[in-house]
Amino acid sequence: MEHTCQNQHENETIAERLLIVRRRAGLSQSDFAKSVDVIPRSYRNYEAAVRDVPLALAINVHRKFDVDLNWLLLGMSPSVTLPAPDVYEKILLAMEGFQRTRAIEFSPHKKAKLISFLVGQFASGREMSEAEIFDYLETTV
């Protein structure tokens, strides 16, 4: 039983990393599946951690999207590159604008946590507009 739970956790981790790669590529599940020579329904099962990810799929993702196999399969190297410098600027400007419009000031500790979260969102492939950043910051006040 313990072995099954461990395998399930490993599959979820690989599934999460597949999702990161797909989002970074800006592709739908169907388009991503086709690009790595997999039937879309099968790919959905891999990304949902319903099925084990075959080695052939991992190799195709590695070759077509320049993904480190150690990271994809084992999580052993950095999952994503840091966002471009303009992302940091976008986050900081949005945060400053939010504080100005709400007449508040986040503590340095809270700012660090908020910036870390937002950078992580961008690094995982999610694009956020200034309005979306404001909406997120609104939930933290």
Side-chain angles (χ1 to χ4, degrees), residues 80-99:
V80 291
T81 56
L82 292 175
D86 65 321
V87 167
Y88 294 94
E89 182 178 354
K90 181 177 187 175
I91 291 170
L92 288 171
L93 290 174
M95 187 175 287
E96 292 298 318
F98 179 84
Q99 290 178 114

Side-chain angles (χ1 to χ4, degrees), residues 117-133:
F117 173 81
L118 291 167
V119 167
Q121 293 297 298
F122 281 92
S124 68
R126 180 173 179 207
E127 291 295 321
M128 295 178 77
S129 67
E130 182 178 21
E132 290 172 314
I133 294 172

Side-chain angles (χ1 to χ4, degrees), residues 12-24:
E12 290 172 358
T13 303
I14 294 169
E16 291 169 358
R17 290 189 288 267
L18 279 174
L19 173 63
I20 289 169
V21 173
R22 181 176 64 79
R23 282 184 175 170
R24 286 178 64 202

Side-chain angles (χ1 to χ4, degrees), residues 30-87:
S30 180
D31 289 339
F32 189 84
K34 290 173 190 170
S35 73
V36 291
D37 302 321
V38 173
I39 297 168
R41 185 173 70 181
S42 294
Y43 179 77
R44 280 191 297 277
N45 287 331
Y46 302 139
E47 197 173 283
V50 173
R51 294 240 180 239
D52 289 338
V53 175
L55 185 56
L57 171 60
I59 291 169
N60 282 345
V61 171
H62 161 71
R63 288 181 177 153
K64 295 188 180 180
F65 295 94
D66 193 29
V67 172
D68 184 282
L69 277 175
N70 283 326
W71 170 74
L72 182 61
L73 296 174
L74 306 172
M76 291 181 65
S77 64
S79 60
V80 291
T81 56
L82 292 175
D86 65 321
V87 167

